[in-house]
Amino acid sequence: MLTVRSRRTALAVVAAAGLLGTVAVPTAAQAADAKRHKTVNLQLLAINDFHGNLEPPAGSSGTVKEIDPATGKEVSTPAGGIEYLATELRKARIPADDSITVAAGDIVGASPLTSALFHDEPTIEAMDKLGLDVTSVGNHEFDEGAQELLRMQEGGCHPTDGCYEPGRTFKGANFNYLSANVTDEKTGKNLLPPYWVTKSQGVKIGFIGVTLEGTPNIVTAEGVKGLKFANEVTTINKYAAELKAKGVNSIVALIHEGGYPASSVYNYDCGAAGQGISGPIVDIAKKIDPAVGAIVTGHTHNAYACSIPDPNGVPRSVTSAASFGRLFTEIDMKLDKTTGEIVRPSVKAENHVVRRTVEKAPDMTALVDHYQKLAAPIANRPIGYIGSDINGRGSSDLEKPLGDVIADAQLAGLAPADKGGAQLAFMNPGGIRSDLVYKASGSEGDGVVTYGEAFTVQPFTNMMQVKTLTGAQLVQLLQQQVSGPNGAAPKILQVSSNLHYTLDMRKTGADRVLVDSIRLNGAALDPAAKYRVAANEFLAGGGDGFPAFAAGTDKLVGGSDLDVFTAYLGAHSSAGAPLQAPAQDRIKVIGPGSDID
């Protein structure tokens, strides 16, 4: 049985997750009722999608968009890094009557080398120092499978790599992981506790934690083997009822699923009724039991502090703090000591930028320095050269310069007959985790790409595959980018340089792909012809909503995507002839599309 732990001495019962806030206008009756009841103040500090970014994220992935008050123009502000995040959270806690720190998943997974090389143990250690109390489980917490997730909670040395330092055993997280909707397929038992209950000045407050129901579609099959993922709304409502039956009437939901605000500016106003936000979280929030007083979300890496109506039409706060520790959400609320409920009109939420102008937290600096030194022999090895920034994760374009480079690398690595005979290659955009930045991150020199930097771009080390698809299946593959499960939030695959086509984003669904425009090596696809196609194992297995890939035949497994990427950088760049950002001319986009990631 999993032991549930917490740094909070006011611990009361099992597990839970969730938090959030937004401002709702009280009715006259609510205002009068509030005067009759004594309340206590509670502060929630929330983060999400940290992804092991202990060091400040590089390039545009490490910035936040905001409006410059002096000019009124949109600017990009450097943000993030555990040393700065710790300082900001500790400062924010000072005035609070009581404070709980929560997260909405993906604290680890898809992490840079300083954390990933040690199976994210450094990030768990940092989160304990940070004072994290509870988090829901995100899809990336399943990257290495359920047993590794349980090790993150319970501790112990890695089953294969062992302990990283003599005499030191990983202690596990002192915060609580929650996964209310994840159960064992055979036994039906929860993988982790569904909720966590604590007290704030005598008032019980429960946190319910869920991950997105579609996790099996975006994680390797091995990572979720033997697990079932239930519907988010059904699960939260089930456990909200259970909490209420136990006398817990203040409830927060921590959900690893999110939305898409109409603006990328971090403090964009979504409107009183949430008109300015779309995506899965909107429908979810509208169906969650009104007993849940606030909702903290993640997954989409967007920033918002919105108000979305509950099933009774009453506004309720829904928040997300972007990703990589660039923001944190401060949620202030009052708890009614008589009823034990969150006073909904009192909930106020605001995102704050983790600026790199504040003092670094010395304990976090020591932690980062320690693991950087351990990783240095591997991380600092030069493997290539670039002539300018090549943006990937930080690019809002449908065709990303770094996506082009990765697809070209995969085609080059898998084209030889003995490597699979690939004729074209595809890369899923979600697998590009960072940018390649020209400015030196250490002592390597400007333009030098180190192994650690390449690893940050592609940290999954998925094995490459080559499969045979017909021309008709290739058309289906392109159409699946913008239809079916990807219709509402398109996932535009990055393509090798020999494939060109046009997307008309004014149309809907599969019609967005103009079939007559598709050209491979300058020629139209033959629907009946067979083509050898390269992709990483996640995408080739149908991940991210691409069943056409799963239908491919004659599979050949190659080297890892990271090895292919680093080999390409080494073979196609030098100090005298650095790799340049490719022209973004493979996918022609008509109509809106630059805001779709």
Side-chain angles (χ1 to χ4, degrees):
M1 177 65 181
L2 180 68
T3 300
V4 179
R5 296 167 289 181
S6 171
R7 70 177 181 86
R8 290 175 57 81
T9 57
L11 178 63
V13 234
V14 285
L19 205 40
L20 153 85
T22 195
V23 180
V25 179
T27 65
Q30 288 172 326
D33 189 57
K35 292 181 180 180
R36 293 194 297 269
H37 291 191
K38 184 178 180 180
T39 61
V40 296
N41 297 326
L42 174 63
Q43 177 197 62
L44 300 177
L45 299 177
I47 61 172
N48 54 274
D49 297 276
F50 184 74
H51 289 290
N53 276 261
L54 298 173
E55 300 139 311
S60 52
S61 296
T63 63
V64 168
K65 292 183 179 179
E66 61 180 330
I67 301 299
D68 184 342
T71 64
K73 295 182 179 180
E74 185 177 300
V75 296
S76 294
T77 300
I82 193 68
E83 297 158 288
Y84 305 105
L85 177 61
T87 295
E88 292 285 25
L89 287 179
R90 289 164 182 171
K91 283 168 51 182
R93 288 189 188 116
I94 293 173
D97 293 79
D98 195 7
S99 183
I100 301 175
T101 302
V102 305
D106 276 6
I107 296 303
V108 299
S111 306
L113 192 67
T114 301
S115 183
L117 189 62
F118 310 101
H119 293 279
D120 278 318
E121 290 178 18
T123 295
I124 299 298
E125 184 179 339
M127 288 295 125
D128 279 342
K129 290 179 180 290
L130 196 70
L132 181 63
D133 291 300
V134 62
T135 181
S136 57
V137 172
N139 54 286
H140 281 285
E141 263 90 14
F142 292 98
D143 283 348
E144 294 189 53
Q147 291 306 308
E148 178 66 1
L149 170 57
L150 292 177
R151 190 181 75 89
M152 291 292 99
Q153 179 76 85
E154 298 174 317
C157 297
H158 190 272
T160 302
D161 295 339
C163 295
Y164 301 114
E165 297 174 82
R168 181 182 182 275
T169 300
F170 175 56
K171 296 179 180 179
N174 196 40
F175 55 87
N176 300 289
Y177 265 119
L178 307 178
S179 60
N181 63 330
V182 184
T183 56
D184 185 290
E185 282 184 335
K186 293 181 179 179
T187 67
K189 293 182 178 179
N190 287 91
L191 176 68
L192 286 160
Y195 54 79
W196 175 68
V197 179
T198 188
K199 283 186 178 180
S200 177
Q201 302 168 87
V203 180
K204 294 178 181 179
I205 181 166
F207 298 86
I208 303 171
V210 299
T211 189
L212 68 157
E213 182 181 5
T215 294
N217 298 323
I218 56 175
V219 173
T220 60
E222 191 63 29
V224 294
K225 187 177 181 179
L227 298 176
K228 181 179 179 180
F229 291 76
N231 178 263
E232 303 95 335
V233 173
T234 302
T235 301
I236 292 171
N237 289 348
K238 169 188 172 181
Y239 286 110
E242 184 171 309
L243 285 171
K244 287 188 290 182
K246 293 182 176 182
V248 182
N249 295 319
S250 286
I251 304 172
V252 173
L254 301 175
I255 307 175
H256 192 71
E257 180 60 287
Y260 302 91
S263 170
S264 58
V265 174
Y266 86 93
N267 55 352
Y268 165 72
D269 184 356
C270 299
Q275 310 97 317
I277 184 170
S278 60
I281 198 60
V282 176
D283 188 52
I284 290 171
K286 288 180 177 180
K287 295 177 181 178
I288 289 176
D289 191 324
V292 175
I295 303 171
V296 175
T297 75
H299 186 55
T300 59
H301 291 207
N302 288 310
Y304 47 85
C306 295
S307 184
I308 299 175
D310 69 12
N312 293 334
V314 179
R316 176 167 51 192
S317 178
V318 180
T319 61
S320 173
S323 61
F324 305 158
R326 294 173 293 158
L327 299 174
F328 71 92
T329 310
E330 180 179 1
I331 306 163
D332 296 309
M333 62 178 66
K334 294 183 183 297
L335 308 181
D336 190 317
K337 295 202 72 171
T338 301
T339 66
E341 297 175 346
I342 294 172
V343 181
R344 188 86 74 77
S346 75
V347 181
K348 299 178 181 179
E350 182 179 4
N351 279 323
H352 300 285
V353 179
V354 177
R355 302 182 190 278
R356 299 179 194 167
T357 53
V358 300
E359 184 179 350
K360 296 180 180 180
D363 59 332
M364 294 300 185
T365 299
L367 182 147
V368 173
D369 286 349
H370 176 74
Y371 284 105
Q372 282 179 333
K373 288 176 182 177
L374 290 178
I378 296 173
N380 296 340
R381 177 168 58 88
I383 50 95
Y385 301 84
I386 56 174
S388 61
D389 288 356
I390 305 180
N391 289 335
R393 189 73 183 186
S395 172
S396 60
D397 295 331
L398 298 185
E399 180 186 344
K400 305 176 190 303
L402 190 50
D404 287 350
V405 172
I406 292 172
D408 288 346
Q410 293 177 348
L411 178 58
L414 282 302
D418 62 337
K419 301 296 183 181
Q423 295 168 271
L424 69 160
F426 291 95
M427 175 63 189
N428 54 307
I432 307 169
R433 307 305 299 184
S434 186
D435 305 330
L436 283 182
V437 180
Y438 177 79
K439 183 175 177 59
S441 59
S443 60
E444 75 274 13
D446 291 347
V448 178
V449 180
T450 65
Y451 181 83
E453 291 167 339
F455 184 96
T456 300
V457 170
Q458 289 198 279
F460 300 109
T461 58
N462 281 319
M463 302 308 290
M464 290 300 301
Q465 294 185 3
V466 182
K467 285 185 169 183
T468 297
L469 276 72
T470 66
Q473 287 173 319
L474 279 174
V475 172
Q476 290 176 348
L477 183 70
L478 293 174
Q479 291 174 330
Q480 285 165 3
Q481 300 175 110
V482 289
S483 62
N486 296 327
K491 289 186 174 70
I492 305 304
L493 298 175
Q494 309 300 286
V495 300
S496 51
S497 62
N498 57 343
L499 181 66
H500 296 81
Y501 71 98
T502 299
L503 278 174
D504 188 344
M505 300 307 290
R506 299 170 301 181
K507 299 179 181 292
T508 59
D511 290 340
R512 288 170 166 171
V513 177
L514 303 188
V515 177
D516 290 344
S517 71
I518 302 172
R519 293 291 183 273
L520 178 63
N521 297 318
L525 292 176
D526 179 348
K530 295 181 178 180
Y531 301 88
R532 295 291 282 165
V533 186
N536 62 58
E537 60 184 332
F538 167 70
L539 185 58
D544 267 353
F546 291 97
F549 246 135
T553 60
D554 303 319
K555 178 177 71 176
L556 184 145
V557 178
S560 77
D561 53 4
L562 180 60
D563 288 346
V564 167
F565 183 47
T566 57
Y568 182 84
L569 291 173
H572 290 79
S573 69
S574 65
L579 185 69
Q580 302 294 333
Q584 295 165 261
D585 58 1
R586 305 173 189 188
I587 307 172
K588 181 179 179 181
V589 181
I590 301 173
S594 62
D595 60 340
I596 298 175
D597 191 2

